[in-house]
Amino acid sequence: MTRLASLRDKPGTAREYETIYILRPNTPNEGVAEVNTRIKGVIEGMGGKIMKVDNWGKRRLAYEVAKERKGIYLYWLYLAQPGVVEETERNLRMLDSVIRYLTVKVDEDVDVTARPSELDDSSFEKAAQTAADEEDMFLSRGSEESASDDDDEFGGDDFEDVPALEPTPPVVVEEKE
């Protein structure tokens, strides 16, 4: 369905948009790449120009969303006509791995030819790679250590480097008659 252009829009210009969407934290890198490829196809297929794509990684949410406490944040900056935003959000709404999305209009009447794109194939592929957050790294490191220390119930000789404490002298209490 074609959308009527606004009379406010100058010919040869586009609007600048930012879209941030949050994926479920257990989404594998292949799933992130699949979502990114779909959104890229929608934006470029409708005449938009992608300026920047960035994976902010796995972060803790401010409150529980769709029974999730964490999410993978992805940031997109692009130039497009208003109908592209509607189609992008429609596609995000249909994906089960997307738990939230938000699009904000940054600027109007942007000259498309004057804005260089920061997006190349390597940065697009990099946006599909999600680094583990600190808590996941801590939990995985803890499971590796416990797997190697199975012979001792308390984790082996973890306290060898701790200096011994001096014994405290006994306290003598004198009774008054």
Side-chain angles (χ1 to χ4, degrees):
M1 180 175 171
T2 59
R3 182 179 170 94
L4 294 174
S6 172
L7 295 176
R8 277 189 357 207
D9 292 338
K10 296 178 185 172
T13 64
R15 296 178 183 176
E16 183 176 13
Y17 294 100
E18 286 180 340
T19 297
I20 298 173
Y21 54 90
I22 306 171
L23 302 177
R24 294 189 184 277
N26 58 357
T27 306
N29 289 340
E30 296 82 28
V32 176
E34 186 178 308
V35 173
N36 286 349
T37 304
R38 184 170 182 169
I39 298 305
K40 181 180 179 183
V42 169
I43 292 171
E44 290 180 344
M46 294 185 72
K49 180 179 179 182
I50 300 171
M51 307 304 291
K52 183 177 183 178
V53 177
D54 197 13
N55 186 332
W56 289 349
K58 194 181 294 186
R59 296 172 176 237
R60 181 178 209 104
L61 300 172
Y63 52 90
E64 190 173 291
V65 177
K67 299 184 180 179
E68 299 288 351
R69 297 294 294 158
K70 292 184 178 181
I72 300 171
Y73 284 68
L74 287 122
Y75 170 82
W76 289 66
L77 179 69
Y78 55 96
L79 303 174
Q81 299 301 320
V84 176
V85 173
E86 292 169 355
E87 184 63 21
T88 301
E89 289 185 347
R90 186 185 73 81
N91 277 273
L92 289 171
R93 197 175 306 116
M94 289 190 299
L95 297 169
D96 290 335
S97 60
V98 177
I99 56 177
R100 278 286 195 267
Y101 58 87
L102 178 70
T103 302
V104 177
K105 181 174 68 172
V106 179
D107 199 6
E108 291 183 351
D109 298 330
V110 177
D111 186 9
V112 179
T113 57
R115 295 289 304 271
S117 176
E118 298 176 15
L119 184 71
D120 56 353
D121 291 336
S122 64
S123 64
F124 186 73
E125 291 172 9
K126 184 180 172 187
Q129 305 301 318
T130 303
D133 64 339
E134 292 177 11
E135 185 175 329
D136 289 343
M137 290 190 306
F138 177 75
L139 293 175
S140 67
R141 183 175 45 209
S143 65
E144 290 170 4
E145 288 175 1
S146 64
S148 65
D149 294 336
D150 286 339
D151 57 344
D152 188 8
E153 181 180 344
F154 297 106
D157 300 326
D158 289 339
F159 298 105
E160 285 180 357
D161 298 334
V162 178
L165 296 174
E166 295 293 325
T168 58
V171 177
V172 179
V173 178
E174 295 180 13
E175 294 183 16
K176 293 186 179 183
E177 294 181 11

